[in-house]
Amino acid sequence: MNGPVPVEVLKQHLIDPEICIRCNTCEETCPIDAITHDENNYVVRADTCNGCMACISPCPTGAIDNWRDVLRAEAYAVDDQLTWDELPVQDDALAGQGTIGEASAGAAGGASGASGASADSSEPVIGGSDLVRGSVVPPWSAAKPYVNLYNHKAPVQATVVGNYRVTDASTESDIHHIVLDFGKQPFPVLEGQSIGIIPPGTTADGRAHHARQYSIASPRDGERPGYNNLALTVKRVTKDHQGQAVGGVCSNYLCDLKKGDVVNVMGPFGSTFLMPNHADSHLLMICTGTGAAPMRAMTEYRRRRRMKGATGKLMLFFGARTQGELPYFGPLLNLPKDFIDTNLAFSRTPGSPKRYVQDAMRERAADVAALLRHEHTYIYVCGLKGMEDGVLQVLQTIAGEAGLDWQTLWQRMKTEGRLHLETY
Ligand code: A2P
């Protein structure tokens, strides 16, 4: 006698469009290309996702950690997900019955289609996959961050108390230092965290703009010590990646703000790219352009703590096209040499050879190696996506030349929350 046909229920991985700040972290992290996006949403291909969980920890907002139990054959297609403004409600009849693992192709592929990956529907790998290159945990001594105190439905209003350019007026690169004050509203932050800014107005098809993410450039106790304010480092976007003229919606909005203007803010976000609190920890910071924001925050916090006895070393590698395009050039050079070891790399100085941060690191190999040997060294990389490979490559070379086994050290630094990568 035939028994009843089992109904397969999938625990479908979804991204909450209401919380997602479209930072691309999940898509970059996914080892099997199960995540895609359009100008509206980031979505998960049900026929590809194998529930490896690599994307869960790096997501700054937690938007990635959403699941719905659905009939496998009726998994939400990519095309549907791309139109969502909010997640669908869970069907009570299926709740709690789903198992993780990709749905059969065809049920959920949608326009973007399947990637062809054929991962097993294996147990999730909690804590991230080997293909994730940086830490998905914070330093052991990091302070506990607050996250998601405000979302796009209930943002907090901050007042602009400062907005000025931090690149030379003669250069094309218009980078602004913008200070936002939260008054009496709670907005606790840590160095390395980010916030979301919701630009006013709507897109061409009448939807509200989604929030854009910016790293905080000031320390936890305020841009001005003891004040409930923070700073951002924002580059005015005037061209797209192909060099075509475009006006970046949020960056232009922010760079044009005047003192007294009120801004809608979400967040704070981020629970891993945080600095160690123990006073003898060393910071090796590598950045380009506006990737300087978290480095400025950490450096300034250490500078304020130094007076209270922090002893760890700070070494900075900072790349820009020219001296004039390096944000905060003047203040950076005013920091005492015995406090921070600053190394600048300029790629487009007329008459000088092109230099990237990796080249500067190579030149300082002995000192970088000394830091790599130290178990209290924490590495932070922030800026252009392209530099990530180059920086990891030069770290490998420097480690190798110093007799360190980079593969072992890399794994160790990752699991100990000592290698943080944030590139875009
Ligand atoms: P480049 O002159 O080749 O563009 P940007 O001004 O676009 O934000 O870039 C900041 C700096 O990072 C520039 O000096 C830029 O050099 C440099 N850069 C570009 N690609 C890489 C890379 N793959 N590795 C390191 N630095 C890079």
Side-chain angles (χ1 to χ4, degrees):
M1 208 174 95
N2 289 334
V5 179
V7 177
E8 278 202 277
V9 181
L10 171 74
K11 189 176 252 329
Q12 184 174 0
H13 188 192
L14 300 170
I15 299 173
D16 187 343
E18 293 192 272
I19 303 178
C20 174
I21 48 170
R22 283 82 177 163
C23 64
N24 205 49
T25 306
C26 54
E27 195 170 320
E28 275 168 30
T29 308
C30 179
I32 55 169
D33 288 338
I35 297 177
T36 184
H37 73 277
D38 66 2
E39 64 287 345
N40 194 32
N41 281 344
Y42 275 73
V43 300
V44 185
R45 297 181 177 110
D47 53 0
T48 309
C49 175
N50 63 358
C52 79
M53 303 289 173
C55 58
I56 302 297
S57 290
C59 170
T61 64
I64 194 78
D65 198 7
N66 281 282
W67 308 84
R68 292 288 182 273
D69 294 334
V70 297
L71 293 176
R72 265 179 201 272
E74 295 176 8
Y76 297 108
V78 160
D79 274 356
D80 286 345
Q81 296 177 52
L82 289 171
T83 65
W84 289 348
D85 292 324
E86 56 188 42
L87 287 175
V89 290
Q90 172 66 58
D91 179 346
D92 285 343
L94 300 173
Q97 297 178 42
T99 52
I100 290 176
E102 77 272 28
S104 55
S112 303
S115 72
S118 59
D120 290 331
S121 43
S122 50
E123 285 297 301
V125 185
I126 305 296
S129 107
D130 273 356
L131 294 166
V132 181
R133 302 162 109 195
S135 296
V136 295
V137 290
W140 67 266
S141 63
K144 178 122 186 54
Y146 287 91
V147 292
N148 291 323
L149 297 179
Y150 302 92
N151 61 27
H152 84 290
K153 281 191 179 149
V156 61
Q157 282 72 44
T159 305
V160 178
V161 292
N163 183 357
Y164 58 89
R165 185 173 164 136
V166 284
T167 44
D168 198 278
S170 64
T171 67
E172 228 183 74
S173 177
D174 187 12
I175 300 182
H176 282 234
H177 183 73
I178 298 167
V179 185
L180 301 177
D181 192 276
F182 292 85
K184 292 195 166 30
Q185 305 156 107
F187 203 81
V189 298
L190 291 173
E191 308 76 16
Q193 283 195 292
S194 55
I195 64 170
I197 300 286
I198 308 171
T202 55
T203 58
D205 61 0
R207 289 169 182 269
H209 287 299
H210 60 76
R212 306 312 202 265
Q213 184 192 13
Y214 295 93
S215 284
I216 297 165
S218 50
R220 64 191 76 180
D221 55 339
E223 168 68 4
R224 179 167 174 185
Y227 279 63
N228 190 17
N229 61 21
L230 58 78
L232 303 177
T233 312
V234 181
K235 181 171 183 174
R236 189 188 291 278
V237 174
T238 53
K239 288 180 191 152
D240 64 15
H241 287 301
Q242 286 72 43
Q244 299 297 314
V246 290
V249 171
C250 200
S251 68
N252 279 282
Y253 162 65
L254 285 171
C255 289
D256 290 337
L257 286 170
K258 305 273 177 299
K259 270 191 197 174
D261 285 347
V262 173
V263 179
N264 281 316
V265 178
M266 290 165 56
F269 306 125
S271 50
T272 58
F273 194 108
L274 301 175
M275 68 186 292
N277 263 351
H278 53 299
D280 58 348
S281 52
H282 306 313
L283 307 183
L284 174 55
M285 301 175 282
I286 304 147
C287 63
T288 57
T290 53
M295 314 311 180
R296 179 182 184 273
M298 292 185 191
T299 302
E300 180 57 13
Y301 185 61
R302 263 305 172 81
R303 198 185 65 81
R304 292 179 193 176
R305 266 191 87 187
R306 191 182 183 220
M307 297 167 214
K308 297 181 191 154
T311 54
K313 292 193 172 74
L314 273 67
M315 189 172 200
L316 172 70
F317 292 91
F318 192 169
R321 296 177 188 187
T322 60
Q323 178 180 311
E325 294 189 54
L326 187 124
Y328 308 114
F329 179 75
L332 187 57
L333 290 201
N334 286 336
L335 291 171
K337 301 276 174 289
D338 64 344
F339 165 62
I340 183 166
D341 182 348
T342 299
N343 301 267
L344 306 179
F346 299 122
S347 57
R348 302 191 196 182
T349 304
S352 297
K354 188 181 192 82
R355 242 164 72 88
Y356 279 172
V357 281
Q358 302 86 294
D359 302 313
M361 290 172 73
R362 189 85 190 77
E363 286 163 19
R364 297 292 312 277
D367 297 295
V368 173
L371 284 178
L372 288 180
R373 274 207 186 86
H374 208 290
E375 63 184 22
H376 292 298
T377 295
Y378 292 76
I379 304 180
Y380 298 87
V381 181
C382 189
L384 287 182
K385 179 93 209 129
M387 78 166 165
E388 199 174 296
D389 279 345
V391 167
L392 288 172
Q393 184 62 54
V394 80
L395 285 173
Q396 173 167 11
T397 307
I398 292 171
E401 286 170 5
L404 298 164
D405 174 13
W406 171 245
Q407 292 305 325
T408 308
L409 180 61
W410 186 10
Q411 287 306 320
R412 198 171 142 210
M413 294 196 84
K414 265 169 60 171
T415 53
E416 292 177 353
R418 298 200 290 126
L419 178 62
H420 296 278
L421 309 173
E422 194 164 283
T423 57
Y424 35 84

